[in-house]
């Protein structure tokens, strides 16, 4: 046990040195968004279904079904055009989208989907801990592998830094394919050693028909809900622990699961993982609902972050409301200006951010931007009594996104991230209801209050802001 702790400390020290040196060598900057986002042209928006690209008539029929959800049809049409104009993965119709709030609901739905698998289970996660939740998933994977369902697990080397390698051995022995993304140990790398590039995605694909995307890792910190009124333990101890984690996941049944599948397999192959074999990874998938969904993945190798471009584009075109919930908010100048510009043209811009964090440096860096945003008309709220880890947005009630992407430099420059964009008034209403529920558990930060904060807090914010581009 002592040797394990010593080795873990040594790796941490080595990791910090490597990260610091690589960041100083070139910390990078967020790109200027250059793809053609002209939505005024008459070009048709391409959509896909379970049987391939939809005809213009089928696409119009799909939109008509969404228009019947009693939304502002002009807003819906506009955001569909905006999203379709951004290059990358297609808009896919015929999906059923289920919103999952916090760990218990997410793990229950994941378990049900995995137990119903017939061919394969593909999981990509930043963290997989050796704790009660991690062991439950490990045992489930082993049981499914013994039933003939191929399980492929990919985890991040930094994210699972505290997870002993021995934790994964029983799965490997049972036939589960286990792949460590960008190993910290240079003797185990399978391609160029890029230690600062991490896989922050949280993705589960079952049989190519069901996908889970969001911010929830495989860890017992998510074991309790964040809205419970009864707590057996203190909400927050001196170390900032024992507080429930607030997070969001989405389950998507339907053809767009194949787009998420492509993203998983692409990463697996680029990491030179074991041969995945033949397990019907791309079956014909029937429509399961009527929602239009886009699967978006980003990698550090991309010329620009499509997720970042998507966020900026939706914000720039917002007409009524922008409601963002984000765990690690370190916005670059483009994003700050987009939010302030929206507020200036009368859009209701609201941010729900953490009041507690697992990173004090990120928390104070985030707060260093409050003054500018508050002066620009953006309303800021901090979620109380929970550690906010959610990454969601709903714009104009029709454009929603849920995924792993934080609004910070690391997510847009150095990390692999994954998001689902859902174009649906009905689902947008669900995300808005979730936002309102978080809002009720939050405290608004007003400009007047903020200007009266102690000098000690200002000094922490200033010190933290120096590291904004390195976070």
């Amino acid at each position: 046990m002592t040797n394990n702790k010593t080795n873990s400390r040594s790796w941490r020290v080595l990791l910090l040195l490597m990260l610091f040196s690589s960041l100083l060598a070139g910390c990078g900057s967020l790109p200027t968004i250059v793809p053609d986002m002209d939505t005024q042209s008459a070009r048709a928006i391409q959509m896909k279904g379970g049987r391939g690209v939809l005809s213009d008539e089928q696409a119009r029929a799909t939109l008509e079904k969404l228009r019947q959800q009693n939304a502002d049809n002009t807003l819906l049409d506009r955001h569909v055009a905006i999203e379709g104009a951004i290059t990358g993965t297609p808009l896919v119709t015929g999906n059923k989208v289920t919103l999952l709030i916090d760990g218990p609901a997410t793990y229950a739905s994941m378990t049900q989907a995995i137990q119903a698998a017939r061919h394969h289970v593909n999981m990509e996660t930043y963290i997989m801990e050796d704790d009660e939740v991690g062991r439950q998933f490990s045992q489930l994977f082993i049981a499914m592998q013994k039933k003939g369902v191929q399980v492929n697990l990919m985890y991040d080397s930094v994210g699972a830094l505290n997870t002993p390698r021995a934790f994964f051995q029983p799965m490997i022995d049972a036939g589960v394919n286990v792949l460590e993304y960008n190993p910290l140990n240079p003797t185990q790398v399978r391609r160029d050693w890029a230690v600062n590039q991490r896989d922050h995605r949280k993705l589960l694909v079952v049989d190519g028909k069901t996908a889970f995307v969001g911010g929830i890792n495989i860890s017992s910190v998510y074991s309790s809900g964040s809205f419970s009124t009864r707590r057996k333990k203190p909400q927050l101890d001196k170390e900032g622990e024992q507080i429930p984690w607030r997070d969001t996941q989405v389950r998507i049944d339907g053809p767009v699961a194949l787009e998420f599948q492509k993203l998983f397999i692409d990463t697996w192959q680029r990491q030179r993982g074991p041969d995945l074999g033949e397990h019907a990874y791309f079956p014909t998938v029937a429509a399961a609902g009527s929602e239009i969904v886009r699967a978006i993945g980003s990698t550090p190798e991309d010329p620009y972050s499509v997720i970042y471009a998507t966020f900026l584009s939706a914000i720039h075109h917002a007409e009524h409301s922008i409601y963002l919930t984000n765990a690690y908010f370190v916005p670059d100048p483009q994003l700050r200006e987009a939010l302030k510009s929206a507020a200036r043209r009368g859009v209701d811009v609201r941010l729900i951010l953490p009041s507690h964090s697992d990173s004090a440096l990120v928390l104070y860096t985030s707060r260093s931007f409050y003054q500018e945003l508050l002066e620009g008309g953006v309303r800021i709220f901090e979620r109380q009594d929970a550690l906010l880890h959610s990454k969601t947005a709903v714009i104009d009630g029709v454009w929603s996104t849920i995924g792993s992407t934080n609004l910070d430099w690391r997510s847009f420059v150095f990390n692999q991230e994954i998001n689902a964009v859902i174009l649906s008034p009905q689902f947008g209403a669900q995300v808005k209801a979730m936002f309102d529920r978080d809002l009720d558990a939050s405290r608004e930060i007003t400009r007047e209050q903020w200007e009266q904060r102690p000098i000690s807090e200002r000094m922490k914010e200033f010190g933290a802001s120096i590291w904004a581009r390195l976070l």
Side-chain angles (χ1 to χ4, degrees):
M1 192 64 155
T2 303
N3 289 336
N4 286 339
K5 288 183 178 179
T6 302
N7 290 336
S8 179
R9 275 193 227 99
S10 299
W11 273 114
R12 284 197 191 93
V13 172
L14 178 60
L15 173 62
L16 288 172
L17 290 173
M18 291 187 297
L19 287 178
F20 186 72
S21 60
S22 64
L23 288 168
L24 285 181
C27 61
S29 60
L30 285 182
T32 299
I33 301 306
V34 294
D36 178 14
M37 296 181 190
D38 176 20
T39 60
Q40 304 304 317
S41 63
R43 61 181 173 178
I45 303 303
Q46 189 179 84
M47 292 187 190
K48 284 184 66 176
R51 298 180 182 275
V53 177
L54 272 61
S55 67
D56 290 347
E57 183 178 348
Q58 290 171 322
R60 284 194 294 269
T62 296
L63 281 173
E64 186 57 36
K65 287 182 180 179
L66 289 176
R67 292 189 187 105
Q68 294 171 5
Q69 296 177 3
N70 298 320
D72 184 327
N73 294 338
T74 303
L75 279 177
L76 176 62
D77 291 348
R78 184 172 176 80
H79 278 282
V80 169
I82 292 163
E83 191 63 36
I86 299 174
T87 58
T89 53
L91 300 176
V92 182
T93 188
N95 303 286
K96 176 185 177 183
V97 185
T98 305
L99 187 63
L100 300 169
I101 300 176
D102 289 340
T106 297
Y107 294 150
S109 189
M110 281 183 169
T111 299
Q112 181 273 326
I114 292 169
Q115 289 175 335
R118 299 183 61 187
H119 303 290
H120 65 271
V121 173
N122 292 336
M123 175 174 278
E124 184 175 358
T125 184
Y126 180 62
I127 295 172
M128 187 164 190
E129 292 197 321
D130 182 9
D131 57 19
E132 182 179 359
V133 169
R135 287 188 286 274
Q136 287 174 355
F137 273 90
S138 173
Q139 292 164 10
L140 181 57
F141 288 162
I142 291 171
M144 296 308 296
Q145 188 71 43
K146 289 180 178 179
K147 289 182 179 180
V149 174
Q150 180 59 52
V151 179
N152 305 307
L153 170 64
M154 181 162 37
Y155 68 92
D156 187 79
S157 186
V158 171
L161 188 63
N162 292 323
T163 304
R165 303 303 86 143
F167 168 78
F168 299 99
Q169 196 58 49
M171 287 186 278
I172 295 172
D173 293 342
V176 175
N177 286 322
V178 178
L179 179 62
E180 182 180 5
Y181 182 93
N182 273 1
L184 287 177
N185 187 338
T187 65
Q188 297 177 359
V189 296
R190 295 169 297 276
R191 47 176 293 178
D192 293 340
W193 197 37
V195 69
N196 199 33
Q197 296 181 7
R198 308 315 323 164
D199 188 352
H200 193 245
R201 295 176 180 177
K202 292 88 178 173
L203 171 66
L204 172 66
V205 181
V206 178
D207 284 348
K209 300 178 181 180
T210 299
F212 292 80
V213 179
I216 296 179
N217 290 290
I218 306 302
S219 169
S220 290
V221 299
Y222 299 99
S223 293
S224 63
S226 63
F227 291 103
S228 174
T229 57
R230 297 181 181 180
R231 306 203 190 280
K232 296 180 180 179
K233 297 181 179 180
Q235 293 181 4
L236 184 66
D237 65 12
K238 293 180 180 179
E239 287 72 37
E241 298 177 346
Q242 295 182 346
I243 190 169
W245 283 50
R246 168 72 188 91
D247 217 329
T248 308
Q249 206 88 350
V250 66
R251 171 176 175 158
I252 309 171
D253 296 281
V256 80
L258 295 174
E259 299 299 322
F260 289 108
Q261 185 87 292
K262 290 177 186 176
L263 293 169
F264 175 89
I265 291 178
D266 177 66
T267 300
W268 188 280
Q269 291 176 342
R270 284 189 292 105
Q271 283 288 301
R272 300 174 185 172
D275 182 15
L276 293 175
E278 297 294 333
H279 292 280
Y281 290 114
F282 294 98
T284 299
V285 181
S290 61
E291 311 288 19
I292 296 174
V293 182
R294 187 178 183 213
I296 311 179
S298 66
T299 74
E301 291 85 3
D302 294 338
Y304 63 89
S305 169
V306 177
I307 296 176
Y308 181 67
T310 299
F311 262 108
L312 275 184
S313 180
I315 291 169
H316 279 308
H317 292 87
E319 296 186 22
H320 295 302
S321 59
I322 298 172
Y323 301 139
L324 305 182
T325 303
N326 209 261
Y328 305 108
F329 182 72
V330 185
D332 77 300
Q334 290 179 87
L335 181 54
R336 299 200 302 273
E337 183 53 39
L339 293 171
K340 292 186 295 180
S341 176
R344 285 195 297 269
R345 63 177 183 267
V347 176
D348 182 13
V349 184
R350 304 187 186 197
L351 311 178
I352 298 180
L353 305 175
S355 61
H356 309 285
S357 177
D358 55 342
S359 172
L361 184 59
V362 174
L363 182 67
Y364 281 103
T365 303
S366 177
R367 288 174 174 172
S368 71
F369 299 108
Y370 282 15
Q371 187 73 34
E372 175 187 349
L373 293 171
L374 290 169
E375 290 176 353
V378 176
R379 297 180 68 183
I380 299 174
F381 302 80
E382 288 190 345
R383 177 65 158 85
Q384 306 295 303
D385 302 328
L387 196 153
L388 184 67
H389 196 253
S390 189
K391 308 104 170 47
T392 69
V394 58
I395 295 178
D396 287 342
V398 299
W399 184 99
S400 304
T401 188
I402 294 171
S404 67
T405 307
N406 290 300
L407 298 177
D408 64 1
W409 295 80
R410 169 153 290 283
S411 281
F412 292 132
V413 177
F414 299 118
N415 283 352
Q416 287 225 146
E417 302 286 2
I418 196 162
N419 272 56
V421 170
I422 302 98
L423 293 158
S424 164
Q426 187 176 48
F427 185 76
Q430 294 179 43
V431 180
K432 173 59 165 55
M434 177 180 67
F435 184 90
D436 288 343
R437 195 176 176 192
D438 278 312
L439 205 63
D440 288 341
S442 300
R443 178 176 67 90
E444 183 167 10
I445 307 296
T446 66
R447 181 177 175 182
E448 293 74 18
Q449 292 170 335
W450 194 246
E451 289 174 346
Q452 296 174 13
R453 69 195 186 283
I455 186 65
S456 59
E457 294 295 296
R458 296 169 188 258
M459 291 176 65
K460 290 176 183 177
E461 293 159 20
F462 174 77
S465 67
I466 297 173
W467 301 90
R469 294 195 180 198
L470 306 185
L471 298 177

